[in-house]
Amino acid sequence: MSESSDTPEYEVPDHVDNPLVHLIRRYASPYGARYAVAIVGTALAQIPQRVPALVVGVALDAILLSSTPYDLPLVPSGWVPTTTEGQVTFTIGLLVGAFALDGALTWLSGRVAGTARLRTLHDIRVDTFDALVGREMDFFDRRQTGDVMSVLNNDVSNLNGFGNNAVEGLRFVTQIAVAFAFMALLHVRLAALLLVLPVGLALLGRWYTTRVEPVYEDVRESVGRINARLEDSIDGIATVKSFAREDRERTAVADASREYRDRNWSVIRLRLIFNYSSWSVSSYSFVGLFAVGAYINLNGAPPFLGRSLTAGTLLTFLLYSKSFYGPIRQLMLDVLDSYENALASSKRIVAVLETDRQANETGDDLRVTEGRIEYDRVDFGYESSDEQQLRDVSFTAEPGSLVGIVGPTGAGKSTITKLLFRFYEADAGTVTVDGQDVTDVSPRSLREHLGYVSQDPFLFYGTIRQNIGYGVDDASDEDIEHAAKLAGAHEFVTGLDDGYDTQVGERGESLSGGQRQRIAIARALLREPEILVLDEATSHVDNETERQIQESIDALAGERTTLAIAHRLSTVRNADTIVVVDDGRVVEQGSHEELVERDGLYADLWRVQVGDTDAVSEAFLQRARAEDRPSERIESAVDGEVSR
Ligand code: ADP
């Protein structure tokens, strides 16, 4: 169960009345012929399915009791043999025929319905995924991964459940309709009287669903809570263990579980009441029917029932009446339940599918001639934040140059690079590549020319080779190794038991942060981007890794325009230009020597980093003291620890 039903951001656009109907129209109609065959087949199968009870009743009267002539409704009397043996054979033939026809129709409709349903769901799943990945970054910023995943997982499988149950529902309804039609042919007044049974059961079901729904909501909520609790404890297991807080986690899980248990018990209690009462209605009316039937059979019918009842007809009625209980119960429990679920799920799916997404393909193609990047008076604030994260940011990265971007944590360094990728668009000012505004070119073509290495690179589940080759179709082994060498990854990769075929876990957990980043650098280099953006790893890397990352950065410089966000100033010391960002503004820029000479923020950051704290300016210290958490602020400036 997802908690996403509470997420207000999944809003169905106005032009969609009923999201479930909308999905059915759009995704089921291509398979309309199959669905039609399935529906007709399922409905038709109910006719032969109800035949045996009818035939057995007639045969009982005519053959076994010899009380009435062999008279089957809808069958011309000329078709019925006159001898007893002939009638027995005829009966057996009818039974076999009915079962065979039922089997064939059920098999056919099950098959056709199954393939149609799976194809519909496949289309919905792929389209929804497509719509999701086409969304721009701010969509994902506002949502948790689990929440987005549940649209693809839970919501799509809820539709599957509903599809299944809808067929069942149709089966139940036609089953009851055919049974009543047959009963009416045998004894219309008694059949009418028996209508009380399905109506009574349906009313009971209605009572149950209205009572259980609110409680069910509570249960769902506590399932969400329990899952969140478990996820938290297991995700944070290292922290739990290092603080020896297993007991505390246990108590929290136990509380959540207890709440779930109690709420679920309310549901089970209601379900038991419903089950028991509907079972009672069904069972005692069976008894009642037998009593009434036997009385009429023996004593003749009271006036309002018209004619009397044979033993065979009574048997047919009893068999039919017993067959209502299961289907109606299921109709009320499963079909309605899955309808509610599917409706809620289709809302989210439609919300994802139908909202405008940024068209990846629209816009001109970016043409990179030299690789000059220019930020011109850029202002920017995240939609989800009230503050402005960038103010009047201007700087230029000359073709082939290495530009270091430095500054305290939260200054806006990553945000600057995100605008280059057009993950977000500037509120004012422009970001241009060789004179082309990044908002004028298609995101896809823009990103084809850019390489990006994040500070926490994501390694996909697979081998190192696959991970390096991710951005290029059919990369050769030589190319992959060449890129790895450039990135300084080759040495450690070949040292691993399986070399380039080493499997890395979901997030490459078996590798160190520095190793992951070098794989990510190789991945970016393999695409031979004209421009490279590197977000230096902020976790504490050892000196050796730091040296290697610096070597990688130096190796890249001179070949292509590179923006390197640096947390350790030493790694960009050799940069052509260093842009110093503070609180969303560019406060200084120049070469390392120029900036040290200038004796501003950079010079202070540099002094802190090299341990020359005595020489740090009074202004810097005052500023640090004025911050909420001064020591943290200085530390973060010093060692690049990211506060998350
Ligand atoms: P830096 O890279 O210098 O550490 P960032 O560019 O990551 O800084 O962040 C700059 C500011 O923007 C910070 O205050 C951060 O909290 C905020 N921020 C970053 N990403 C988002 C986001 N997706 N939504 C809202 N605010 C964000």
Side-chain angles (χ1 to χ4, degrees):
M1 289 293 143
S2 78
E3 287 177 288
S4 49
S5 52
D6 303 322
T7 314
E9 286 127 17
Y10 290 99
E11 266 171 29
V12 179
D14 288 342
H15 68 272
V16 177
D17 285 338
N18 180 324
L20 189 55
V21 173
H22 177 83
L23 282 181
I24 291 172
R25 259 203 217 122
R26 181 158 152 197
Y27 287 97
S29 50
Y31 308 108
R34 283 168 190 269
Y35 282 111
V37 170
I39 289 170
V40 172
T42 304
L44 282 183
Q46 298 313 309
I47 299 173
Q49 236 171 60
R50 306 271 82 73
V51 163
L54 182 74
V55 170
V56 165
V58 171
L60 176 77
D61 285 338
I63 304 171
L64 302 179
L65 300 176
S66 309
S67 58
T68 51
Y70 200 112
D71 181 19
L72 259 179
L74 305 178
V75 175
S77 53
W79 295 10
V80 181
T82 43
T83 63
T84 308
E85 289 77 19
Q87 287 177 354
V88 171
T89 316
F90 183 67
T91 305
I92 293 173
L94 277 179
L95 289 176
V96 170
F99 284 129
L101 188 59
D102 172 21
L105 284 170
T106 305
W107 183 84
L108 174 78
S109 53
R111 198 195 140 94
V112 179
T115 52
R117 187 161 43 83
L118 292 179
R119 284 171 197 216
T120 305
L121 288 170
H122 167 82
D123 293 350
I124 294 179
R125 186 179 294 116
V126 172
D127 275 8
T128 311
F129 179 77
D130 199 37
L132 274 173
V133 291
R135 285 304 190 78
E136 279 311 318
M137 291 304 290
D138 61 342
F139 175 86
F140 295 95
D141 285 347
R142 283 181 281 130
R143 290 166 176 81
Q144 294 183 327
T145 314
D147 190 44
V148 177
M149 293 282 293
S150 86
V151 176
L152 290 167
N153 279 336
N154 298 353
D155 290 338
V156 175
S157 50
N158 276 347
L159 291 186
N160 189 22
F162 172 66
N164 245 338
N165 279 313
V167 175
E168 287 301 298
L170 173 75
R171 199 195 311 284
F172 303 152
V173 172
T174 45
Q175 175 180 340
I176 291 166
V178 172
F180 268 94
F182 280 177
M183 286 197 291
L185 288 173
L186 292 173
H187 200 299
V188 67
R189 294 199 179 182
L190 190 59
L193 199 67
L194 258 187
L195 271 177
V196 176
L197 191 51
V199 172
L201 287 171
L203 285 176
L204 260 176
R206 192 69 229 140
W207 169 85
Y208 169 73
T209 44
T210 42
R211 285 294 293 270
V212 85
E213 225 153 74
V215 195
Y216 215 61
E217 272 301 299
D218 292 346
V219 172
R220 257 178 256 209
E221 215 180 86
S222 50
V223 168
R225 246 198 294 277
I226 226 179
N227 283 344
R229 205 49 262 172
L230 291 174
E231 220 176 286
D232 223 31
S233 304
I234 303 298
D235 275 355
I237 189 71
T239 310
V240 171
K241 287 202 168 294
S242 62
F243 281 82
R245 291 302 245 175
E246 288 94 337
D247 284 352
R248 189 193 159 106
E249 293 303 309
R250 187 192 172 281
T251 312
V253 168
D255 286 347
S257 177
R258 195 171 305 113
E259 180 191 70
Y260 169 71
R261 186 191 69 190
D262 294 345
R263 289 181 173 180
N264 215 3
W265 171 236
S266 310
V267 172
I268 292 175
R269 224 176 32 211
L270 277 173
R271 199 174 254 248
L272 279 175
I273 295 175
F274 170 65
N275 276 354
Y276 182 75
S277 46
S278 57
W279 173 84
S280 300
V281 167
S282 160
S283 302
Y284 296 122
S285 46
F286 183 85
V287 178
L289 179 63
F290 176 77
V292 171
Y295 178 86
I296 299 174
N297 182 264
L298 295 174
N299 303 315
F304 70 93
L305 272 179
R307 61 196 174 82
S308 179
L309 193 68
T310 67
T313 304
L314 176 58
L315 176 68
T316 304
F317 269 60
L318 284 170
L319 289 173
Y320 283 156
S321 83
K322 201 59 195 154
S323 71
F324 298 149
Y325 166 64
I328 290 186
R329 217 189 108 230
Q330 217 156 348
L331 192 69
M332 288 300 160
L333 290 182
D334 299 343
V335 181
L336 286 184
D337 202 37
S338 74
Y339 172 76
E340 302 279 337
N341 273 339
L343 193 63
S345 291
S346 61
K347 273 185 198 155
R348 282 188 292 275
I349 291 176
V350 169
V352 168
L353 280 173
E354 293 293 314
T355 346
D356 289 341
R357 56 179 170 137
Q358 186 170 346
N360 250 344
E361 318 295 345
T362 55
D364 302 335
D365 277 355
L366 175 71
R367 268 191 317 280
V368 180
T369 47
E370 299 180 291
R372 173 181 285 101
I373 303 167
E374 207 166 340
Y375 283 71
D376 186 23
R377 284 166 290 159
V378 172
D379 291 341
F380 173 74
Y382 287 101
E383 239 174 70
S384 52
S385 156
D386 300 332
E387 290 169 34
Q388 208 169 16
Q389 271 76 30
L390 297 181
R391 265 167 273 161
D392 202 25
V393 168
S394 297
F395 69 91
T396 303
E398 295 298 337
S401 68
L402 169 63
V403 174
I405 304 178
V406 303
T409 300
K413 304 182 291 294
S414 301
T415 307
I416 289 177
T417 62
K418 285 174 189 165
L419 297 185
L420 176 62
F421 281 86
R422 201 180 155 189
F423 287 153
Y424 307 92
E425 289 182 12
D427 301 328
T430 54
V431 181
T432 56
V433 176
D434 286 337
Q436 296 155 88
D437 191 328
V438 293
T439 57
D440 289 340
V441 298
S442 78
R444 188 183 291 277
S445 87
L446 172 68
R447 291 164 197 171
E448 269 166 12
H449 296 278
L450 304 177
Y452 177 61
V453 181
S454 80
Q455 54 180 299
D456 181 22
F458 186 83
L459 297 192
F460 294 95
Y461 186 78
T463 63
I464 290 182
R465 191 188 308 282
Q466 288 166 341
N467 266 289
I468 295 179
Y470 179 75
V472 176
D473 292 329
D474 307 321
S476 72
D477 288 353
E478 292 78 48
D479 290 345
I480 288 177
E481 283 183 27
H482 178 67
K485 279 178 188 155
L486 275 183
H490 181 72
E491 206 175 306
F492 88 81
V493 172
T494 45
L496 297 170
D497 283 348
D498 293 325
Y500 282 90
D501 294 316
T502 305
Q503 289 280 342
V504 284
E506 258 177 272
R507 292 199 44 106
E509 237 103 36
S510 50
L511 301 177
S512 76
Q515 290 173 330
R516 289 218 302 260
Q517 196 166 43
R518 273 175 280 159
I519 289 177
I521 293 175
R523 178 197 284 163
L525 288 181
L526 187 65
R527 271 168 64 115
E528 301 190 328
E530 283 93 345
I531 293 161
L532 190 70
V533 174
L534 206 99
D535 202 344
E536 184 196 77
T538 51
S539 48
H540 292 275
V541 292
D542 54 51
N543 290 341
E544 174 59 14
T545 308
E546 179 174 346
R547 188 185 61 76
Q548 279 168 344
I549 290 179
Q550 190 177 349
E551 272 174 13
S552 320
I553 294 179
D554 289 346
L556 304 171
E559 286 181 25
R560 50 177 67 74
T561 316
T562 303
L563 298 188
I565 298 176
H567 302 275
R568 279 168 294 277
L569 304 186
S570 52
T571 53
V572 288
R573 193 181 166 165
N574 300 328
D576 300 291
T577 314
I578 297 171
V579 176
V580 186
V581 186
D582 187 24
D583 201 14
R585 292 175 190 278
V586 174
V587 290
E588 294 168 1
Q589 48 184 315
S591 69
H592 172 77
E593 285 71 25
E594 284 165 6
L595 292 173
V596 170
E597 182 83 1
R598 202 186 151 122
D599 206 16
L601 176 63
Y602 182 85
D604 280 328
L605 290 171
W606 179 254
R607 287 186 200 111
V608 173
Q609 188 138 74
V610 295
D612 190 8
T613 35
D614 291 343
V616 170
S617 75
E618 186 55 30
F620 186 81
L621 289 176
Q622 264 178 9
R623 186 186 118 150
R625 280 188 212 107
E627 301 284 350
D628 287 347
R629 285 164 297 176
S631 58
E632 191 181 289
R633 196 64 187 193
I634 292 187
E635 261 168 42
S636 73
V638 174
D639 61 21
E641 179 67 73
V642 158
S643 51
R644 292 205 201 189

